[in-house]
Each structure stands twice: as structure tokens, then as C-alpha cells.
Amino acid sequence: MNNTADLLSDKRSGDEILTIDVILKEVNEVKGHSGEACMILFDGYCHNDIFNGDILNGGVDTQRQEAGSLLRTLSARYILKGKDFEGNDCKIFIENNGTANGGQFTTTPKILTDSSALKPLESYDFVGSISDTEEEGHIKIHIKKK
């Protein structure tokens, strides 16, 4: 079986660590006088070589934009529950903060986990991005080593 050195330590800058398939469930928004905000509820899953599991209920992405500005901020928080690459039950918490200036979001994910095998993820610097899929209401979150 692969070990941490094989699956995590050998990852280089730009290598994708996690890809999360997100299913958008509900959007709640308010358009105020000085800006707008929305909260996007979601679930989904992650299946790759280091982790297999699902997003637990409560995943939410909060976005804000001031009136007259092209800058949009996001802060998404969610917990994945599944198994690490050693087959142990575990959870991964992801906080993904970012901005878009009239275009694609760039994010800075932070990870916490109760998995001993995935513990190195807590110390990595990550960069994240979001891509569309062919399926309506679905997106992918890409978390890469910085």
C-alpha cells in the first residue's frame, strides 16, 4: 500500500491535491443599497488517490460585492467525511477564502483533518480555483499545492 511519502510528500508546486465535485442546492441572496450578498448551500463529493468521501450537510459559500465594484469575495466552509488513502475513517474541514475581480475566482484554501495520514495537508500552502462542468448546478473546486 502507498504511504504518506509516496502520496503527499512527493507533491510539487502546482500539483492538484484534491478535486471536489460540488452540487449547488440553494441560493439565498439580498441586494442591498450599498452592495449584495448571497449564500450558496451545497453538497458533493471528493474521490481521488488520497481521499474518498462526501460533503456533509451545511456546506455554504458566502459571497459579497460592494455596489459599483467589480471585486467579489467568497468564503466557503465545509466538511468532508470519508476514508483516507490508508482506509481509515476521517473528516476534512476546508475553509476556502478568495476573490474575483470581474472574472474567475482565485482562492486560498486551509485544511484541518483528523486523519494521521493526511496531517501534512494542514501545513501546506494551497491555491484554489473553480471550474464549471457540463452538468447544470455542478462545479469543481481544484485545490493545488502552492
Side-chain angles (χ1 to χ4, degrees), residues 33-134:
H33 300 281
S34 60
E36 59 186 62
C38 69
M39 297 179 76
I40 304 166
L41 296 114
F42 60 87
D43 60 23
Y45 53 91
C46 175
H47 301 296
N48 66 19
D49 60 345
I50 66 167
F51 177 82
N52 285 290
D54 298 312
I55 297 173
L56 296 177
N57 285 338
V60 64
D61 173 14
T62 303
Q63 298 184 13
R64 292 207 46 201
Q65 187 167 350
E66 300 297 322
S69 174
L70 294 177
L71 182 68
R72 188 168 190 90
T73 61
L74 79 75
S75 180
R77 292 178 177 90
Y78 50 100
I79 296 175
L80 295 150
K81 181 179 181 180
K83 293 193 180 290
D84 64 24
F85 63 87
E86 292 181 343
N88 298 313
D89 291 337
C90 67
K91 292 179 184 172
I92 298 174
F93 168 79
I94 300 176
E95 180 174 357
N96 207 4
N97 296 307
T99 59
N101 195 352
Q104 186 70 23
F105 278 103
T106 302
T107 65
T108 307
K110 298 291 182 190
I111 292 178
L112 297 174
T113 182
D114 58 5
S115 165
S116 295
L118 300 177
K119 180 182 174 185
L121 297 179
E122 293 189 3
S123 62
Y124 284 179
D125 289 326
F126 294 108
V127 63
S129 63
I130 301 165
S131 66
D132 292 326
T133 69
E134 293 180 8

Side-chain angles (χ1 to χ4, degrees), residues 2-26:
N2 292 323
N3 61 37
T4 302
D6 292 340
L7 290 175
L8 293 179
S9 298
D10 290 343
K11 298 287 186 182
R12 307 246 185 268
S13 177
D15 285 350
E16 195 148 325
I17 304 296
L18 295 171
T19 302
I20 300 148
D21 292 274
V22 174
I23 303 163
L24 306 176
K25 294 300 200 182
E26 183 179 343

